[in-house]
Amino acid sequence: MKNFKDYIKNNEGLRFIFDNLKISSIPGRDYLLQCKFLNNPFDIKIELQCLNYTINFVKNSLSNADIDNLSLRLHYLNNISGTLSNLEKELVLDDIQLFEIKKFAQISKSVCDILCDKGFDIFELHDLSGVIDLLDPDNAGESSFYVYSSYSKELSELRKMQQQLRDENPEKAELIRQECVEIEDTIRARLSRKLSDSSRYLKINFNRIAHLDVLIAKAMLVDELNLCSPLIADTVTEYKQVFNPFIKSILSEQNKDFQAVDISLDQKPVLITGANMSGKTVLLRTLALSQLMFQFGFYVPAKEAKIKIVDDVILSIGDSATEYNGLSSFAMEILNINSIIEKAKSGKIILALVDELARTTNPDEGKALVSAFVDIMKKYKLDTVITTHYSGIKSDCRRLRVKGLKDESNAEKISVKNINDFMDYSLMEVKDDTVPTEAIRIAEILDVDKELIDLAKSYLMSAKKLQ
Amino acid sequence: MPFIDDILKHKSLSIVGTEKNTGKTECLNYILKRLAEQNKIPAITSIGIDGESLDQVTNTRKPEIELDCNSFFVTSDKHFATKTIDAEILNVSNRRTSLGRLITAKAKSKGKLIFSGPPETVWLKEIIAELLSYNPDIVLVDGALSRKSFGSPSVTESMILTTGAALSANMQTLVKKTAYLYDLIKLGQWKSDIADTLLRIESGLWAIDDSNNIHDLNIPSVFLLDKSVGNLFEYGNRIYVSGVLNDKVLDKLRVQANIDKTEIIVRDFTRIFAGQNSLNSFLDKGGKIKVLLKTNLMAVCVNPLAPNGFLLDSEKLRALLSQKLNLPVYDIKKIASEEF
């Protein structure tokens, strides 16, 4: 099963979410990156319950100062999973690893102090004061560590002697230093042995604190991006006012709004048509992002959402030609489609989102391929959304059309800058298999060469006359 | 006692060699010894992975650096493991260098250590700030004038330059080369609140317009300048060269009509690889060069002995340099042997 890290590599929307999460610690970051794509209703429910709890807890029980305080502590957390696994294997830790354990135990304690005071009880953080006491024999309260002289009287005396002899008798001093090193090693072994009794609790706390860091970041994102709590659907995925936070943020930098849309997917392939620049590709990206967020236990970008759990999300958008050098864009796409079909046939439930299938080949064969793909997806009852400019796709499927340019009476005012204002991105159900013919109109809006436009129009006219 | 009181007026000092075997380590050890005598606490780190115990070029043994009890230091995992000093670990970095994480520690005994440090400028600044948080009397940086190093010694407030027969066995050439470096160190600073942003840029040429917006000129390297000279001034006359500034760039710019309004900004003097001639003709025509990081050169230390055994006249060398640079010049080995 793929993890978060695998998905952000190819999904810029999820990358945007990741970049906007205020995770305070490196272990928190690593925790999220290694999170598995959850495809089991129980796991998703648990994670969403934790998130729910955290949202309420952050809102009701934590002040801004508490949050700052907490994130400051978390900020100093190192990733000690390597050290913890050495401890589990009962290896002897070196000074750096002992330092890491001590520092972690102290952070764990201060996090616990902040949270437990406020009644945080979704998961327990174990008391690690035994660990702290062991590694802070002088009770100095510092997070630093070395093999303190107070661990052994003999060591303490030898160290003093070594320093005294260092200038007078360097050879003797070196011998004493070697003796010290041996004693230090036995102390490290003793400390490691004692610590390994607590290794289970250290590990549990480490994972829980990393998880907590992620939950708090997820909770903060909810208000920031206006996300909603998703419900788990059995068969039909249904969004009210779903939007794409990544594209929304790009638009808002240009003082433009993102128009959220409603859509439902009911295990029958959906064919989406619409003019160029009508947001078909964005819709596919949005559906992919929302599904991924849902199955990584986030709230989702919509007003309401009921989402069916899938095993994988495959988004095929024809602009990633760099991945497979030496393959044409068509070859790439068709191999992608093939992998969707292979997965479907192996019984995987997938969400397949395909942008303009077979657009890079001749329209006759292209249409045939689209129809065939739709038939196969229908047979396996997979949620599939395909955008196309091809008319005359006869397969049995749902057809949605982006409404497109709203008001042609203001036609002369439309330009590439304000086209957003004139476009209605919402979807309507249609029965026929024709497609909007607005390509030349959009080209005009984009202010391309007039000769090209005029010639194209006259070709179109004569073609129509022939029909 | 030369310059110890002066360096204590600054919070941080880097010691930079014009060449290997110019006596950088002796200089650092000398400073440490003097600081110890005054019961001053130093904190020490290095730029990158310079701290090999054998000099890899000449295969001569480099003197290790000796630390006193209570000194603070930063070094890598690898070199921390080989230390012969008791040390209390204060911090471990999350990021890694090629020699592992960086360990911040406090010496609990006298002993020897090899230093390694952050390989890039912004991280070095952070490490210096971290060391300063432990309230030492001064932070010392074992610096490098390396073409490969992305860490800049100029992030410290002050600097000592070591030079010597290893740079050139001809005294006139040695003085001339050192004086040219000093000219570069003296270049004016471009002060701006976008300096840190610029320091994070790793490659390419960038324009800075009058409102301090940074624009990518899409010239990934000065070596690809030929085709794009025309677009250089699209956003104004101020250009940030994030990599090296070489003869080629200066020669290209010198012949442009707006040369007297042109301002080139580089990270610091170590990024200037242009020869003296092309630099001077650029400046003579009215072009300006500024640096983001500027440091105070406090003194020059000389090592009259070349690794091949060639020995220059220490007195004469010091006199010549001192006259040319108008700075104090010391022969550390000589001073140390006279004092101890």
Side-chain angles (χ1 to χ4, degrees):
Chain A
M1 192 55 74
K2 291 199 270 186
N3 61 21
F4 195 85
K5 195 175 174 181
D6 298 325
Y7 282 103
I8 56 171
K9 264 185 239 154
N10 301 317
N11 192 305
E12 53 192 351
L14 198 63
R15 159 65 60 189
F16 170 83
I17 296 296
F18 184 63
D19 291 343
N20 277 275
L21 275 175
K22 296 191 180 72
I23 300 179
S24 306
S25 68
I26 302 276
R29 231 180 95 98
D30 295 346
Y31 179 93
L32 178 61
L33 287 172
Q34 276 146 29
C35 269
K36 294 263 174 287
F37 182 73
L38 306 173
N39 63 346
N40 161 334
F42 180 74
D43 292 341
I44 297 177
K45 242 181 226 162
I46 293 281
E47 180 64 13
L48 286 173
Q49 270 170 13
C50 288
L51 179 55
N52 252 329
Y53 180 92
T54 311
I55 291 169
N56 287 324
F57 183 74
V58 167
K59 220 176 254 169
N60 302 327
S61 309
L62 291 185
S63 65
N64 285 341
D66 290 332
I67 293 173
D68 289 348
N69 197 355
L70 200 59
S71 72
L72 186 70
R73 308 287 156 132
L74 293 173
H75 176 79
Y76 287 107
L77 208 59
N78 293 49
N79 193 339
I80 60 163
S81 42
T83 303
L84 289 176
S85 76
N86 285 345
L87 197 60
E88 231 171 3
K89 289 179 216 147
E90 300 189 5
L91 301 178
V92 174
L93 303 186
D94 65 19
D95 287 5
I96 296 173
Q97 292 170 325
L98 290 167
F99 164 80
E100 288 180 325
I101 298 281
K102 178 175 175 183
K103 184 172 153 195
F104 170 70
Q106 286 172 330
I107 291 175
S108 170
K109 183 174 183 301
S110 59
V111 167
C112 192
D113 287 346
I114 297 171
L115 295 180
C116 297
D117 260 12
K118 311 274 176 185
F120 184 84
D121 61 359
I122 195 160
F123 39 65
E124 187 194 353
L125 290 175
H126 294 281
D127 177 18
L128 297 176
S129 45
V131 172
I132 299 176
D133 292 344
L134 185 65
L135 297 175
D136 188 10
D138 302 332
N139 218 345
E142 303 283 336
S143 69
S144 56
F145 178 78
Y146 93 118
V147 178
Y148 296 96
S149 296
S150 46
Y151 281 124
S152 147
K153 210 169 173 195
E154 194 188 356
L155 178 65
S156 161
E157 273 155 22
L158 283 172
R159 275 179 175 170
K160 272 183 213 147
M161 215 191 300
Q162 192 259 351
Q163 287 293 300
Q164 279 162 7
L165 286 175
R166 207 168 168 272
D167 294 328
E168 305 160 21
N169 188 348
E171 277 163 29
K172 180 94 194 285
E174 179 54 27
L175 286 176
I176 297 178
R177 204 185 72 79
Q178 285 169 13
E179 237 178 292
C180 289
V181 169
E182 276 175 24
I183 299 176
E184 286 169 14
D185 282 345
T186 57
I187 294 171
R188 288 186 193 104
R190 195 178 79 212
L191 293 175
S192 306
R193 218 168 31 240
K194 283 193 183 166
L195 284 173
S196 67
D197 296 340
S198 308
S199 84
R200 218 185 112 236
Y201 299 127
L202 282 161
K203 200 167 180 181
I204 291 174
N205 275 20
F206 180 72
N207 285 327
R208 287 186 178 166
I209 288 177
H211 188 188
L212 178 78
D213 192 8
V214 173
L215 283 173
I216 293 175
K218 280 180 177 176
M220 311 267 258
L221 203 65
V222 168
D223 274 349
E224 206 172 300
L225 299 180
N226 234 335
L227 308 176
C228 80
S229 168
L231 298 174
I232 300 175
D234 292 333
T235 48
V236 181
T237 293
E238 226 177 329
Y239 288 106
K240 290 247 158 31
Q241 304 283 295
V242 66
F243 63 92
N244 190 312
F246 175 46
I247 293 161
K248 190 176 171 177
S249 90
I250 295 173
L251 287 175
S252 85
E253 273 169 28
Q254 306 162 3
N255 287 322
K256 291 178 186 168
D257 292 330
F258 186 97
Q259 188 191 335
V261 299
D262 299 346
I263 187 170
S264 64
L265 309 173
D266 55 2
Q267 296 176 303
K268 206 173 185 190
V270 178
L271 203 60
I272 296 188
T273 56
N276 297 82
M277 294 192 78
S278 66
K280 299 186 299 297
T281 312
V282 170
L283 178 66
L284 297 186
R285 290 188 193 278
T286 307
L287 290 172
L289 175 60
S290 185
Q291 187 80 32
L292 290 172
M293 287 175 75
F294 167 62
Q295 294 194 248
F296 282 110
F298 285 80
Y299 276 18
V300 298
K303 204 165 181 193
E304 281 172 34
K306 263 202 233 158
I307 308 172
K308 197 179 92 177
I309 297 168
V310 297
D311 295 321
D312 196 3
V313 178
I314 300 180
L315 177 64
S316 165
I317 289 183
D319 56 5
S320 51
T322 47
E323 275 180 78
Y324 300 89
N325 283 332
L327 287 185
S328 73
S329 45
F330 177 74
M332 263 228 5
E333 181 184 31
I334 211 70
L335 288 176
N336 224 339
I337 294 303
N338 188 49
S339 82
I340 295 176
I341 294 171
E342 274 174 5
K343 284 200 171 145
K345 293 194 170 173
S346 73
K348 288 256 185 297
I349 301 168
I350 46 177
L351 174 63
L353 304 160
V354 184
D355 193 33
E356 294 186 41
L357 177 54
R359 70 169 149 191
T360 50
T361 189
N362 72 72
D364 293 334
E365 285 183 291
K367 270 182 218 181
L369 282 166
V370 174
S371 306
F373 181 63
V374 168
D375 289 349
I376 293 177
M377 289 295 111
K378 182 168 179 269
K379 191 163 100 191
Y380 288 96
K381 291 190 172 172
L382 290 180
D383 284 337
T384 311
V385 183
I386 304 158
T387 65
T388 189
H389 285 291
Y390 292 144
S391 58
I393 308 278
K394 299 292 179 198
S395 304
D396 177 25
C397 59
R398 271 177 72 208
R399 293 161 203 274
L400 297 176
R401 179 177 299 167
V402 183
K403 284 186 181 157
L405 288 170
K406 281 185 246 190
D407 186 2
E408 278 291 311
S409 62
N410 285 321
E412 67 283 357
K413 289 188 201 150
I414 305 177
S415 74
V416 67
K417 284 210 174 92
N418 65 9
I419 186 166
N420 194 41
D421 302 335
F422 292 88
M423 197 61 92
D424 183 348
Y425 295 97
S426 56
L427 299 161
M428 56 185 180
E429 205 98 24
V430 288
K431 293 283 171 233
D432 62 79
D433 59 12
T434 60
V435 293
T437 48
E438 288 177 309
I440 295 177
R441 176 77 192 99
I442 299 288
E444 264 182 316
I445 291 171
L446 292 171
D447 208 15
V448 302
D449 188 85
K450 190 145 184 343
E451 190 182 354
L452 176 77
I453 304 262
D454 290 345
L455 270 172
K457 277 183 178 168
S458 69
Y459 272 113
L460 196 64
M461 289 290 278
S462 49
K464 273 184 186 157
K465 270 180 203 157
L466 272 178
Q467 279 179 3
Chain B
M1 182 184 301
F3 65 76
I4 297 295
D5 292 333
D6 281 337
I7 66 169
L8 280 169
K9 289 175 189 156
H10 298 278
K11 281 187 178 147
S12 54
L13 169 78
S14 55
I15 296 140
V16 174
T18 54
E19 187 54 73
K20 285 189 175 288
N21 294 302
T22 52
K24 194 176 65 169
T25 312
E26 282 95 339
C27 183
L28 186 55
N29 272 332
Y30 174 78
I31 292 172
L32 288 171
K33 219 161 220 170
R34 311 260 60 170
L35 288 171
E37 282 167 12
Q38 298 192 20
N39 292 320
K40 302 289 183 194
I41 308 280
I44 304 144
T45 187
S46 148
I47 292 177
I49 49 165
D50 206 34
E52 303 294 329
S53 62
L54 273 188
D55 186 317
Q56 293 183 331
V57 179
T58 55
N59 222 23
T60 48
R61 191 169 168 75
K62 270 177 68 173
E64 275 171 303
I65 289 167
E66 175 151 325
L67 282 186
D68 230 11
C69 194
N70 291 329
S71 306
F72 297 94
F73 64 87
V74 169
T75 195
S76 64
D77 266 335
K78 185 185 165 187
H79 290 144
F80 191 83
T82 62
K83 69 184 167 37
T84 61
I85 189 169
D86 292 336
E88 179 175 13
I89 299 167
L90 303 172
N91 196 15
V92 177
S93 71
N94 273 314
R95 293 163 71 188
R96 281 173 182 278
T97 70
S98 56
L99 299 179
R101 296 162 301 178
L102 294 181
I103 316 294
T104 311
K106 183 179 183 182
K108 299 298 268 185
S109 73
K110 273 190 174 186
K112 284 181 180 171
L113 181 73
I114 299 170
F115 283 102
S116 31
E120 43 112 334
T121 305
V122 179
W123 195 1
L124 179 61
K125 277 178 99 169
E126 287 164 12
I127 290 284
I128 292 174
E130 188 200 330
L131 285 171
L132 283 170
S133 75
Y134 300 114
N135 290 318
D137 291 296
I138 189 161
V139 175
L140 301 174
V141 176
D142 184 359
L145 267 190
S146 161
R147 285 162 194 246
K148 289 174 221 139
S149 167
F150 284 98
S152 166
S154 305
V155 299
T156 53
E157 281 180 20
S158 57
M159 179 183 283
I160 287 173
L161 197 64
T162 66
T163 188
L167 179 66
S168 167
N170 177 317
M171 205 181 284
Q172 295 303 331
T173 316
L174 165 58
V175 171
K176 196 176 160 210
K177 280 186 168 175
T178 310
Y180 178 50
L181 262 177
Y182 185 37
D183 285 343
L184 298 181
I185 295 172
K186 281 192 300 187
L187 284 172
Q189 187 175 21
W190 190 69
K191 288 185 180 159
S192 161
D193 44 2
I194 59 168
D196 267 2
T197 315
L198 292 174
L199 287 176
R200 286 194 170 85
I201 297 176
E202 280 172 5
S203 66
L205 269 65
W206 302 72
I208 301 165
D209 67 21
D210 289 336
S211 327
N212 273 353
N213 295 314
I214 305 169
H215 306 272
D216 190 353
L217 291 169
N218 292 316
I219 307 171
S221 148
V222 293
F223 300 102
L224 302 169
L225 191 60
D226 279 346
K227 291 174 193 153
S228 335
V229 175
N231 311 331
L232 268 180
F233 302 106
E234 201 178 326
Y235 302 98
N237 296 313
R238 187 175 288 141
I239 291 163
Y240 177 58
V241 180
S242 67
V244 299
L245 179 64
N246 58 9
D247 286 346
K248 203 168 168 182
V249 187
L250 291 179
D251 293 344
K252 274 264 143 44
L253 292 177
R254 198 179 64 236
V255 295
Q256 306 298 316
N258 54 350
I259 163 95
D260 56 329
K261 296 189 196 77
T262 305
E263 188 169 67
I264 299 180
I265 297 167
V266 292
R267 190 190 74 190
D268 70 349
F269 77 96
T270 65
R271 297 286 95 180
I272 302 176
F273 289 76
Q276 198 162 4
N277 291 338
S278 46
L279 188 92
N280 285 343
S281 32
F282 176 80
L283 295 174
D284 288 347
K285 284 222 174 171
K288 292 183 197 68
I289 301 177
K290 289 194 168 160
V291 293
L292 289 178
L293 299 168
K294 184 178 162 66
T295 181
N296 242 313
L297 188 64
M298 313 214 29
V300 174
C301 293
V302 294
N303 178 9
L305 180 67
N308 60 11
F310 190 86
L311 184 68
L312 290 170
D313 180 340
S314 168
E315 286 293 322
K316 206 171 151 194
L317 176 60
R318 281 191 292 133
L320 260 179
L321 266 177
S322 179
Q323 188 193 357
K324 180 91 184 174
L325 307 180
N326 201 15
L327 272 176
V329 179
Y330 305 101
D331 181 343
I332 292 289
K333 267 190 184 159
K334 208 164 163 222
I335 295 172
S337 66
E338 281 163 8
E339 281 179 5
F340 297 103

